[in-house]
Amino acid sequence: MGMTITEKILARHAGLDTVKPGTLVNAKVDIALGNDITAPIAIDLFRKSGAKKVFDKNRVVLVLDHFIPNKDIKSAMQAKMIREFALEFGIVNFFDSGDTGIEHALLPEKGLVLPGDLIMGADSHTCTYGALGAFSTGCGSTDLAAAMITGELWFKVPESIKFIFKGKLNPWVGGKDLILYTIGDIGVDGALYKAMEFTGPVIRSLSMSDRLTMANMTTEAGAKNGIFEPDDITKAYVSGRAVRKYEFITSDADAEYETIKEYDVSNIEPQVAFPHLPENTKGISEVGEIPIDQAVIGSCTNGRLEDLRIAASILKGRKIARRTRLIVIPATPTIYRTALKEGLFEIFLDAGAVISPPTCGPCLGGYMGILAKGERAVATTNRNFVGRMGHTESEVYLANPAVAAASAVLGKIGGPDQLG
Amino acid sequence: MKITGKVWKFGDDVDTDLIIPARYLNTSDPQELAQHCMEDADPAFAAKVSPSDIIVAGKYFGCGSSREHAPIAIKAAGVSCVIAKSFARIFYRNAFNMGLLILECEDTDKFQTGDKLTVDFDSGEIVHTGTKKLYQSRPIPPFMQELVQSGGLMEYIEKKVK
Ligand code: SF4
């Protein structure tokens, strides 16, 4: 019996020839990742354990991104304790100040996460790196402490669901819409504990940016990981960035899947997820009149250069609606710099947007665009839970960057086709 | 191990932003987190809950972020265990790793706020002390039991390393 890409990567890292869904393995991790919210607990546990060093100074990655630049005194204290730990233990990949960006945009860009890797991160959206053909999953802070010390972690091998995308993509439809549509179909726990493997002709020609967006939101379907078999697009993306050797691993033809789902993308229009769950999706034509107070373009889901370019193409020569705020957050310093060079900032500023330094900021209701009671936002982020962006009586609608930009101009949720 | 406690009932898909909102993630102090436990679902919860109380919920409890602050807040609030139809996977991992007892049980619709339950962790049996009815929770996998018996993942690792 063959194995899926997920099973193969787990088997190799556990030193086994084969694994089956349900098997518990102790596997070596290639990268252990923490951020300014999850690392403090892990560092406390690490210090309490009396460990003298991390398993590999190059493979522990610490990113300050959620509340950075420090939003208040307490977050400043958390950042400080991580900074001190990183210095003391010689963490090579510690990202702070002008080097830092949103972790899940930053690590792929820096070539720190690679095809064939097994990556654990104390952040639920660690599943993003599956876009590169890696097994990558979100864990907790205790897991991070354990991985920092031993370089290993326990995993249960997940069953895999195969998603095949066929047909021709409609205008303004991208990775965000494909994944929102999928979550709308299977539900927020539709892939609970499972691997989501994406394939088919549409996927084979999908850009890395769109793949990262899709893998990013597999946790919104409850999945353990999302994964794409590596191909020429993967190769083009990682060559020139990779800091280590990597390996392309693919699924066997006779691998077993729990379910196989097929979607014809010709039927998929830009998607909007209504409050308060990512599964509450509707096509843009069915949205109706939903006035908005704020639009946010950013996050680990859609804060990459490609996303900003799409937004700029819509905002060029236009102004956002009166009484609507637009916040644009380039996800990493490189994206920030490139967007500036390409003249995108000029377009955003002319349109009336605020440009934030790279940070998670409003995505999790941290700062930099919190909603008041009764306010409504359309955001390119990944979660629209109660109170996610501010007051418990505010609302978040999830959409792609084109819809977010168009909505900012319209002052209500709408697609680029509705602009005059 | 057996515990008896009063039920606090919540619905389906209780996410980590409801359990502990991100605005309080600028600390990891258990007592501080406990003061805001379940705040956005029930603002008075932290004041009402007493030691050994039990949180009962529908499907997919703990979905959303990886924040271990969620099980930490629940545990520090004095809650003895969480019973739900299903758990989100990172919450499930975190709970075992840091020593919060959780049980999966299909029958949580039968329990209401104010009910009293006796939970036997070895057998997975839940008894409603009012109706005296017996409910069975899903067995805890042997590896997870080993984790709990060691006192959590860190203790488990320390034992293994020694
Ligand atoms: S951008 Fe949002 S979802 Fe992504 S890591 Fe930051 S808080 Fe989490």
mmCIF file of all heavy atoms in Angstrom, chain A residues 24 37 72 74 78 123 137-143 146 154 188-189 193 222 364 383 388 392, chain B residues 15 17 22 25-28 32 40 59-60 64-66 68-69 87 89-90 93-94 97 143 157:
data_model
loop_
_atom_site.group_PDB
_atom_site.id
_atom_site.type_symbol
_atom_site.label_atom_id
_atom_site.label_comp_id
_atom_site.label_asym_id
_atom_site.label_seq_id
_atom_site.Cartn_x
_atom_site.Cartn_y
_atom_site.Cartn_z
ATOM 1 N N LEU A 24 1.066 6.626 16.351
ATOM 2 C CA LEU A 24 1.728 7.703 17.084
ATOM 3 C C LEU A 24 3.217 7.608 16.827
ATOM 4 O O LEU A 24 3.804 6.535 16.967
ATOM 5 C CB LEU A 24 1.467 7.552 18.580
ATOM 6 C CG LEU A 24 0.245 8.259 19.126
ATOM 7 C CD1 LEU A 24 -0.045 7.792 20.533
ATOM 8 C CD2 LEU A 24 0.419 9.765 19.104
ATOM 9 N N ILE A 37 3.617 35.752 21.519
ATOM 10 C CA ILE A 37 2.548 35.340 22.427
ATOM 11 C C ILE A 37 2.816 33.952 22.986
ATOM 12 O O ILE A 37 2.622 33.691 24.168
ATOM 13 C CB ILE A 37 1.188 35.377 21.698
ATOM 14 C CG1 ILE A 37 0.775 36.838 21.495
ATOM 15 C CG2 ILE A 37 0.120 34.626 22.491
ATOM 16 C CD1 ILE A 37 -0.525 37.010 20.778
ATOM 17 N N ASP A 72 1.937 47.744 24.275
ATOM 18 C CA ASP A 72 1.739 48.269 25.635
ATOM 19 C C ASP A 72 2.855 47.722 26.536
ATOM 20 O O ASP A 72 3.735 47.003 26.061
ATOM 21 C CB ASP A 72 0.353 47.906 26.177
ATOM 22 C CG ASP A 72 0.089 46.410 26.155
ATOM 23 O OD1 ASP A 72 1.053 45.628 26.076
ATOM 24 O OD2 ASP A 72 -1.090 46.017 26.197
ATOM 25 N N LYS A 74 2.893 45.500 28.980
ATOM 26 C CA LYS A 74 2.963 44.055 29.161
ATOM 27 C C LYS A 74 3.551 43.360 27.934
ATOM 28 O O LYS A 74 4.346 42.428 28.069
ATOM 29 C CB LYS A 74 1.577 43.492 29.465
ATOM 30 C CG LYS A 74 1.129 43.742 30.891
ATOM 31 C CD LYS A 74 -0.174 43.031 31.123
ATOM 32 C CE LYS A 74 -0.729 43.307 32.503
ATOM 33 N NZ LYS A 74 -2.133 42.899 32.568
ATOM 34 N N GLN A 78 6.966 40.973 27.483
ATOM 35 C CA GLN A 78 7.049 39.664 26.824
ATOM 36 C C GLN A 78 8.134 39.667 25.757
ATOM 37 O O GLN A 78 8.918 38.735 25.645
ATOM 38 C CB GLN A 78 5.698 39.288 26.190
ATOM 39 C CG GLN A 78 4.611 39.085 27.217
ATOM 40 C CD GLN A 78 3.426 38.268 26.692
ATOM 41 O OE1 GLN A 78 2.981 37.362 27.352
ATOM 42 N NE2 GLN A 78 2.916 38.587 25.520
ATOM 43 N N ASP A 123 1.865 28.125 16.856
ATOM 44 C CA ASP A 123 0.929 29.055 16.252
ATOM 45 C C ASP A 123 0.062 28.255 15.300
ATOM 46 O O ASP A 123 0.583 27.464 14.514
ATOM 47 C CB ASP A 123 1.636 30.168 15.479
ATOM 48 C CG ASP A 123 0.644 31.242 15.054
ATOM 49 O OD1 ASP A 123 -0.033 31.042 14.012
ATOM 50 O OD2 ASP A 123 0.502 32.244 15.761
ATOM 51 N N THR A 137 2.652 21.884 11.093
ATOM 52 C CA THR A 137 1.439 21.939 11.892
ATOM 53 C C THR A 137 1.584 22.814 13.120
ATOM 54 O O THR A 137 2.677 22.964 13.669
ATOM 55 C CB THR A 137 0.994 20.510 12.283
ATOM 56 O OG1 THR A 137 -0.312 20.559 12.853
ATOM 57 C CG2 THR A 137 1.940 19.873 13.289
ATOM 58 N N GLY A 138 0.473 23.377 13.546
ATOM 59 C CA GLY A 138 0.437 24.227 14.718
ATOM 60 C C GLY A 138 0.336 23.387 15.978
ATOM 61 O O GLY A 138 -0.359 22.385 16.017
ATOM 62 N N CYS A 139 1.057 23.807 17.015
ATOM 63 C CA CYS A 139 1.052 23.108 18.296
ATOM 64 C C CYS A 139 0.945 24.169 19.381
ATOM 65 O O CYS A 139 0.627 25.321 19.093
ATOM 66 C CB CYS A 139 2.340 22.317 18.463
ATOM 67 S SG CYS A 139 2.589 21.084 17.183
ATOM 68 N N GLY A 140 1.225 23.779 20.606
ATOM 69 C CA GLY A 140 1.140 24.731 21.698
ATOM 70 C C GLY A 140 2.502 25.090 22.252
ATOM 71 O O GLY A 140 3.542 24.681 21.727
ATOM 72 N N SER A 141 2.489 25.846 23.346
ATOM 73 C CA SER A 141 3.732 26.331 23.931
ATOM 74 C C SER A 141 4.519 25.222 24.618
ATOM 75 O O SER A 141 5.752 25.217 24.578
ATOM 76 C CB SER A 141 3.438 27.443 24.930
ATOM 77 O OG SER A 141 2.889 28.552 24.268
ATOM 78 N N THR A 142 3.822 24.296 25.272
ATOM 79 C CA THR A 142 4.533 23.185 25.909
ATOM 80 C C THR A 142 5.216 22.337 24.838
ATOM 81 O O THR A 142 6.350 21.897 24.998
ATOM 82 C CB THR A 142 3.567 22.324 26.749
ATOM 83 O OG1 THR A 142 2.934 23.175 27.699
ATOM 84 C CG2 THR A 142 4.303 21.226 27.492
ATOM 85 N N ASP A 143 4.511 22.127 23.714
ATOM 86 C CA ASP A 143 5.117 21.424 22.579
ATOM 87 C C ASP A 143 6.390 22.137 22.136
ATOM 88 O O ASP A 143 7.401 21.505 21.824
ATOM 89 C CB ASP A 143 4.143 21.391 21.395
ATOM 90 C CG ASP A 143 2.995 20.426 21.601
ATOM 91 O OD1 ASP A 143 3.248 19.291 22.021
ATOM 92 O OD2 ASP A 143 1.845 20.808 21.321
ATOM 93 N N ALA A 146 9.218 21.512 24.506
ATOM 94 C CA ALA A 146 9.724 20.153 24.317
ATOM 95 C C ALA A 146 10.575 20.067 23.050
ATOM 96 O O ALA A 146 11.667 19.487 23.058
ATOM 97 C CB ALA A 146 8.553 19.177 24.241
ATOM 98 N N TRP A 154 5.879 14.443 19.545
ATOM 99 C CA TRP A 154 4.941 13.361 19.214
ATOM 100 C C TRP A 154 3.872 13.844 18.251
ATOM 101 O O TRP A 154 3.374 14.961 18.361
ATOM 102 C CB TRP A 154 4.316 12.770 20.487
ATOM 103 C CG TRP A 154 3.419 13.704 21.271
ATOM 104 C CD1 TRP A 154 3.800 14.590 22.245
ATOM 105 C CD2 TRP A 154 1.997 13.850 21.145
ATOM 106 N NE1 TRP A 154 2.712 15.263 22.727
ATOM 107 C CE2 TRP A 154 1.586 14.830 22.076
ATOM 108 C CE3 TRP A 154 1.028 13.236 20.340
ATOM 109 C CZ2 TRP A 154 0.267 15.231 22.236
ATOM 110 C CZ3 TRP A 154 -0.307 13.632 20.493
ATOM 111 C CH2 TRP A 154 -0.660 14.627 21.437
ATOM 112 N N VAL A 188 -16.177 24.082 9.612
ATOM 113 C CA VAL A 188 -14.988 24.454 10.389
ATOM 114 C C VAL A 188 -14.335 23.268 11.103
ATOM 115 O O VAL A 188 -13.205 23.371 11.567
ATOM 116 C CB VAL A 188 -15.263 25.568 11.427
ATOM 117 C CG1 VAL A 188 -15.471 26.911 10.742
ATOM 118 C CG2 VAL A 188 -16.429 25.218 12.330
ATOM 119 N N ASP A 189 -15.051 22.147 11.196
ATOM 120 C CA ASP A 189 -14.377 20.949 11.726
ATOM 121 C C ASP A 189 -14.435 19.808 10.706
ATOM 122 O O ASP A 189 -14.304 18.647 11.054
ATOM 123 C CB ASP A 189 -14.960 20.530 13.078
ATOM 124 C CG ASP A 189 -16.466 20.285 13.017
ATOM 125 O OD1 ASP A 189 -17.065 20.545 11.953
ATOM 126 O OD2 ASP A 189 -17.033 19.834 14.029
ATOM 127 N N TYR A 193 -8.470 16.927 12.741
ATOM 128 C CA TYR A 193 -7.356 15.969 12.938
ATOM 129 C C TYR A 193 -6.776 15.432 11.624
ATOM 130 O O TYR A 193 -5.924 14.561 11.642
ATOM 131 C CB TYR A 193 -7.787 14.755 13.794
ATOM 132 C CG TYR A 193 -8.251 15.097 15.184
ATOM 133 C CD1 TYR A 193 -9.549 14.831 15.598
ATOM 134 C CD2 TYR A 193 -7.377 15.695 16.094
ATOM 135 C CE1 TYR A 193 -9.977 15.146 16.877
ATOM 136 C CE2 TYR A 193 -7.794 16.016 17.370
ATOM 137 C CZ TYR A 193 -9.096 15.733 17.760
ATOM 138 O OH TYR A 193 -9.512 16.051 19.022
ATOM 139 N N GLY A 222 -10.195 22.822 10.738
ATOM 140 C CA GLY A 222 -9.855 21.875 11.798
ATOM 141 C C GLY A 222 -8.682 20.969 11.463
ATOM 142 O O GLY A 222 -8.321 20.108 12.270
ATOM 143 N N LEU A 364 -5.881 39.803 15.025
ATOM 144 C CA LEU A 364 -6.348 39.126 16.236
ATOM 145 C C LEU A 364 -6.840 40.138 17.265
ATOM 146 O O LEU A 364 -6.874 39.852 18.466
ATOM 147 C CB LEU A 364 -5.255 38.230 16.829
ATOM 148 C CG LEU A 364 -4.160 38.877 17.681
ATOM 149 C CD1 LEU A 364 -3.428 37.833 18.487
ATOM 150 C CD2 LEU A 364 -3.243 39.724 16.887
ATOM 151 N N ARG A 383 -9.846 34.723 10.336
ATOM 152 C CA ARG A 383 -10.835 34.356 11.352
ATOM 153 C C ARG A 383 -11.815 35.487 11.574
ATOM 154 O O ARG A 383 -11.414 36.649 11.597
ATOM 155 C CB ARG A 383 -10.144 34.022 12.689
ATOM 156 C CG ARG A 383 -9.372 32.753 12.596
ATOM 157 C CD ARG A 383 -8.992 32.207 13.957
ATOM 158 N NE ARG A 383 -8.371 30.936 13.750
ATOM 159 C CZ ARG A 383 -7.177 30.573 14.249
ATOM 160 N NH1 ARG A 383 -6.511 31.403 15.021
ATOM 161 N NH2 ARG A 383 -6.686 29.388 13.974
ATOM 162 N N ARG A 388 -13.074 39.035 17.407
ATOM 163 C CA ARG A 388 -11.731 38.765 16.874
ATOM 164 C C ARG A 388 -10.975 40.070 16.563
ATOM 165 O O ARG A 388 -9.781 40.150 16.717
ATOM 166 C CB ARG A 388 -11.840 37.903 15.623
ATOM 167 C CG ARG A 388 -10.520 37.622 14.914
ATOM 168 C CD ARG A 388 -9.676 36.606 15.627
ATOM 169 N NE ARG A 388 -8.413 36.382 14.925
ATOM 170 C CZ ARG A 388 -7.452 35.566 15.347
ATOM 171 N NH1 ARG A 388 -7.590 34.895 16.458
ATOM 172 N NH2 ARG A 388 -6.341 35.429 14.671
ATOM 173 N N THR A 392 -16.951 42.811 21.204
ATOM 174 C CA THR A 392 -17.684 41.552 20.966
ATOM 175 C C THR A 392 -18.934 41.785 20.110
ATOM 176 O O THR A 392 -19.493 40.843 19.568
ATOM 177 C CB THR A 392 -18.127 40.890 22.292
ATOM 178 O OG1 THR A 392 -18.763 41.878 23.091
ATOM 179 C CG2 THR A 392 -16.951 40.324 23.048
ATOM 180 N N ASP B 15 -14.604 29.082 20.546
ATOM 181 C CA ASP B 15 -13.246 29.303 20.049
ATOM 182 C C ASP B 15 -12.346 29.895 21.124
ATOM 183 O O ASP B 15 -12.822 30.336 22.169
ATOM 184 C CB ASP B 15 -13.276 30.186 18.797
ATOM 185 C CG ASP B 15 -13.889 31.544 19.083
ATOM 186 O OD1 ASP B 15 -13.234 32.341 19.773
ATOM 187 O OD2 ASP B 15 -15.019 31.805 18.627
ATOM 188 N N ASP B 17 -10.785 32.608 21.172
ATOM 189 C CA ASP B 17 -11.003 34.034 21.436
ATOM 190 C C ASP B 17 -12.105 34.225 22.477
ATOM 191 O O ASP B 17 -12.117 35.220 23.193
ATOM 192 C CB ASP B 17 -11.356 34.776 20.137
ATOM 193 C CG ASP B 17 -10.130 34.999 19.267
ATOM 194 O OD1 ASP B 17 -9.406 35.971 19.502
ATOM 195 O OD2 ASP B 17 -9.881 34.169 18.375
ATOM 196 N N ALA B 22 -7.772 37.824 22.790
ATOM 197 C CA ALA B 22 -6.384 38.196 22.474
ATOM 198 C C ALA B 22 -5.928 39.444 23.220
ATOM 199 O O ALA B 22 -4.742 39.627 23.461
ATOM 200 C CB ALA B 22 -6.231 38.400 20.969
ATOM 201 N N LEU B 25 -3.617 38.600 25.916
ATOM 202 C CA LEU B 25 -2.478 37.721 25.647
ATOM 203 C C LEU B 25 -1.140 38.408 25.851
ATOM 204 O O LEU B 25 -0.098 37.881 25.486
ATOM 205 C CB LEU B 25 -2.557 37.156 24.225
ATOM 206 C CG LEU B 25 -3.781 36.267 23.948
ATOM 207 C CD1 LEU B 25 -3.697 35.703 22.538
ATOM 208 C CD2 LEU B 25 -3.883 35.135 24.953
ATOM 209 N N ASN B 26 -1.181 39.617 26.416
ATOM 210 C CA ASN B 26 0.086 40.273 26.723
ATOM 211 C C ASN B 26 0.632 39.800 28.073
ATOM 212 O O ASN B 26 1.586 40.341 28.598
ATOM 213 C CB ASN B 26 -0.047 41.805 26.665
ATOM 214 C CG ASN B 26 -1.202 42.314 27.509
ATOM 215 O OD1 ASN B 26 -1.797 41.569 28.281
ATOM 216 N ND2 ASN B 26 -1.508 43.591 27.363
ATOM 217 N N THR B 27 0.016 38.750 28.612
ATOM 218 C CA THR B 27 0.566 38.124 29.807
ATOM 219 C C THR B 27 0.357 36.623 29.709
ATOM 220 O O THR B 27 -0.509 36.161 28.965
ATOM 221 C CB THR B 27 -0.116 38.646 31.093
ATOM 222 O OG1 THR B 27 0.434 37.947 32.219
ATOM 223 C CG2 THR B 27 -1.621 38.390 31.066
ATOM 224 N N SER B 28 1.153 35.853 30.457
ATOM 225 C CA SER B 28 0.887 34.419 30.518
ATOM 226 C C SER B 28 0.710 33.999 31.975
ATOM 227 O O SER B 28 0.774 32.830 32.308
ATOM 228 C CB SER B 28 2.020 33.637 29.842
ATOM 229 O OG SER B 28 3.249 33.957 30.429
ATOM 230 N N GLU B 32 -3.937 35.923 36.288
ATOM 231 C CA GLU B 32 -4.473 37.037 35.505
ATOM 232 C C GLU B 32 -5.369 36.521 34.392
ATOM 233 O O GLU B 32 -6.440 37.063 34.130
ATOM 234 C CB GLU B 32 -3.303 37.824 34.914
ATOM 235 C CG GLU B 32 -3.203 39.226 35.470
ATOM 236 C CD GLU B 32 -2.166 40.025 34.729
ATOM 237 O OE1 GLU B 32 -0.968 39.787 34.970
ATOM 238 O OE2 GLU B 32 -2.564 40.872 33.894
ATOM 239 N N ASP B 40 -15.720 36.606 26.908
ATOM 240 C CA ASP B 40 -16.540 37.072 25.789
ATOM 241 C C ASP B 40 -17.729 36.149 25.507
ATOM 242 O O ASP B 40 -18.584 36.462 24.678
ATOM 243 C CB ASP B 40 -15.677 37.281 24.532
ATOM 244 C CG ASP B 40 -14.830 38.555 24.660
ATOM 245 O OD1 ASP B 40 -14.989 39.271 25.666
ATOM 246 O OD2 ASP B 40 -14.012 38.818 23.760
ATOM 247 N N LYS B 59 -19.837 20.527 20.105
ATOM 248 C CA LYS B 59 -18.729 20.057 19.279
ATOM 249 C C LYS B 59 -17.626 21.109 19.153
ATOM 250 O O LYS B 59 -17.882 22.295 19.318
ATOM 251 C CB LYS B 59 -19.247 19.670 17.893
ATOM 252 C CG LYS B 59 -19.641 20.862 17.040
ATOM 253 C CD LYS B 59 -19.856 20.457 15.595
ATOM 254 C CE LYS B 59 -20.265 21.625 14.719
ATOM 255 N NZ LYS B 59 -19.178 22.475 14.254
ATOM 256 N N TYR B 60 -16.429 20.656 18.873
ATOM 257 C CA TYR B 60 -15.309 21.476 18.414
ATOM 258 C C TYR B 60 -14.911 22.564 19.416
ATOM 259 O O TYR B 60 -14.705 23.714 19.057
ATOM 260 C CB TYR B 60 -15.681 22.105 17.062
ATOM 261 C CG TYR B 60 -14.515 22.471 16.187
ATOM 262 C CD1 TYR B 60 -13.327 21.758 16.214
ATOM 263 C CD2 TYR B 60 -14.611 23.545 15.290
ATOM 264 C CE1 TYR B 60 -12.278 22.102 15.399
ATOM 265 C CE2 TYR B 60 -13.566 23.896 14.465
ATOM 266 C CZ TYR B 60 -12.392 23.176 14.515
ATOM 267 O OH TYR B 60 -11.354 23.522 13.704
ATOM 268 N N GLY B 64 -9.652 27.458 16.810
ATOM 269 C CA GLY B 64 -8.998 28.743 16.618
ATOM 270 C C GLY B 64 -7.527 28.671 16.918
ATOM 271 O O GLY B 64 -6.839 27.773 16.466
ATOM 272 N N SER B 65 -7.072 29.590 17.738
ATOM 273 C CA SER B 65 -5.643 29.796 17.876
ATOM 274 C C SER B 65 -4.979 28.699 18.707
ATOM 275 O O SER B 65 -5.631 27.896 19.355
ATOM 276 C CB SER B 65 -5.384 31.175 18.465
ATOM 277 O OG SER B 65 -4.837 31.103 19.752
ATOM 278 N N SER B 66 -3.645 28.687 18.665
ATOM 279 C CA SER B 66 -2.869 27.667 19.372
ATOM 280 C C SER B 66 -2.616 28.054 20.820
ATOM 281 O O SER B 66 -2.003 27.318 21.563
ATOM 282 C CB SER B 66 -1.523 27.489 18.684
ATOM 283 O OG SER B 66 -0.742 28.650 18.890
ATOM 284 N N GLU B 68 -1.913 28.465 24.352
ATOM 285 C CA GLU B 68 -2.029 27.584 25.507
ATOM 286 C C GLU B 68 -2.647 28.356 26.677
ATOM 287 O O GLU B 68 -3.032 27.773 27.683
ATOM 288 C CB GLU B 68 -0.639 27.042 25.872
ATOM 289 C CG GLU B 68 -0.675 25.673 26.507
ATOM 290 C CD GLU B 68 0.634 24.927 26.350
ATOM 291 O OE1 GLU B 68 1.085 24.754 25.203
ATOM 292 O OE2 GLU B 68 1.209 24.533 27.371
ATOM 293 N N HIS B 69 -2.716 29.682 26.491
ATOM 294 C CA HIS B 69 -3.376 30.528 27.486
ATOM 295 C C HIS B 69 -4.808 30.061 27.719
ATOM 296 O O HIS B 69 -5.359 30.293 28.792
ATOM 297 C CB HIS B 69 -3.396 31.986 27.015
ATOM 298 C CG HIS B 69 -2.054 32.493 26.565
ATOM 299 N ND1 HIS B 69 -1.409 32.004 25.448
ATOM 300 C CD2 HIS B 69 -1.235 33.432 27.080
ATOM 301 C CE1 HIS B 69 -0.260 32.635 25.299
ATOM 302 N NE2 HIS B 69 -0.118 33.508 26.278
ATOM 303 N N PHE B 87 -13.089 18.129 20.382
ATOM 304 C CA PHE B 87 -12.175 19.234 20.659
ATOM 305 C C PHE B 87 -11.383 19.574 19.403
ATOM 306 O O PHE B 87 -11.087 18.691 18.593
ATOM 307 C CB PHE B 87 -11.191 18.842 21.763
ATOM 308 C CG PHE B 87 -11.827 18.722 23.112
ATOM 309 C CD1 PHE B 87 -12.321 17.499 23.552
ATOM 310 C CD2 PHE B 87 -11.957 19.825 23.945
ATOM 311 C CE1 PHE B 87 -12.922 17.374 24.791
ATOM 312 C CE2 PHE B 87 -12.559 19.712 25.185
ATOM 313 C CZ PHE B 87 -13.053 18.490 25.617
ATOM 314 N N ARG B 89 -7.938 20.270 17.529
ATOM 315 C CA ARG B 89 -6.776 19.424 17.792
ATOM 316 C C ARG B 89 -5.671 20.094 18.611
ATOM 317 O O ARG B 89 -5.051 19.456 19.453
ATOM 318 C CB ARG B 89 -6.197 18.806 16.514
ATOM 319 C CG ARG B 89 -5.850 19.765 15.407
ATOM 320 C CD ARG B 89 -4.903 19.118 14.424
ATOM 321 N NE ARG B 89 -3.592 18.941 15.004
ATOM 322 C CZ ARG B 89 -2.659 19.884 14.987
ATOM 323 N NH1 ARG B 89 -2.895 21.062 14.432
ATOM 324 N NH2 ARG B 89 -1.492 19.661 15.518
ATOM 325 N N ILE B 90 -5.431 21.383 18.418
ATOM 326 C CA ILE B 90 -4.342 21.994 19.199
ATOM 327 C C ILE B 90 -4.771 22.140 20.655
ATOM 328 O O ILE B 90 -3.987 21.916 21.573
ATOM 329 C CB ILE B 90 -3.877 23.348 18.613
ATOM 330 C CG1 ILE B 90 -3.530 23.191 17.129
ATOM 331 C CG2 ILE B 90 -2.673 23.875 19.378
ATOM 332 C CD1 ILE B 90 -3.073 24.454 16.445
ATOM 333 N N ARG B 93 -4.304 18.758 22.279
ATOM 334 C CA ARG B 93 -2.878 18.561 22.545
ATOM 335 C C ARG B 93 -2.439 19.351 23.769
ATOM 336 O O ARG B 93 -1.805 18.833 24.680
ATOM 337 C CB ARG B 93 -2.113 19.145 21.361
ATOM 338 C CG ARG B 93 -1.384 18.230 20.490
ATOM 339 C CD ARG B 93 -0.488 18.994 19.540
ATOM 340 N NE ARG B 93 0.881 18.587 19.854
ATOM 341 C CZ ARG B 93 1.504 17.596 19.232
ATOM 342 N NH1 ARG B 93 0.925 16.936 18.262
ATOM 343 N NH2 ARG B 93 2.724 17.264 19.588
ATOM 344 N N ASN B 94 -2.774 20.652 23.730
ATOM 345 C CA ASN B 94 -2.356 21.548 24.811
ATOM 346 C C ASN B 94 -2.876 21.072 26.160
ATOM 347 O O ASN B 94 -2.153 21.100 27.161
ATOM 348 C CB ASN B 94 -2.877 22.970 24.568
ATOM 349 C CG ASN B 94 -2.087 23.701 23.494
ATOM 350 O OD1 ASN B 94 -0.988 23.280 23.131
ATOM 351 N ND2 ASN B 94 -2.634 24.778 22.990
ATOM 352 N N ASN B 97 -0.891 18.154 27.272
ATOM 353 C CA ASN B 97 0.498 18.562 27.518
ATOM 354 C C ASN B 97 0.652 19.324 28.823
ATOM 355 O O ASN B 97 1.672 19.229 29.493
ATOM 356 C CB ASN B 97 1.006 19.443 26.371
ATOM 357 C CG ASN B 97 1.407 18.632 25.161
ATOM 358 O OD1 ASN B 97 1.573 17.413 25.238
ATOM 359 N ND2 ASN B 97 1.567 19.296 24.037
ATOM 360 N N PHE B 143 -1.263 6.510 25.116
ATOM 361 C CA PHE B 143 -0.153 7.472 25.184
ATOM 362 C C PHE B 143 -0.558 8.731 25.950
ATOM 363 O O PHE B 143 0.217 9.280 26.745
ATOM 364 C CB PHE B 143 0.328 7.845 23.780
ATOM 365 C CG PHE B 143 1.332 8.967 23.771
ATOM 366 C CD1 PHE B 143 2.635 8.750 24.229
ATOM 367 C CD2 PHE B 143 0.984 10.236 23.351
ATOM 368 C CE1 PHE B 143 3.553 9.792 24.244
ATOM 369 C CE2 PHE B 143 1.895 11.277 23.360
ATOM 370 C CZ PHE B 143 3.190 11.043 23.801
ATOM 371 N N ILE B 157 8.932 14.140 29.310
ATOM 372 C CA ILE B 157 10.235 14.236 28.650
ATOM 373 C C ILE B 157 11.372 14.125 29.662
ATOM 374 O O ILE B 157 12.341 13.408 29.446
ATOM 375 C CB ILE B 157 10.338 15.565 27.870
ATOM 376 C CG1 ILE B 157 9.527 15.443 26.594
ATOM 377 C CG2 ILE B 157 11.775 15.930 27.556
ATOM 378 C CD1 ILE B 157 9.411 16.723 25.849
#
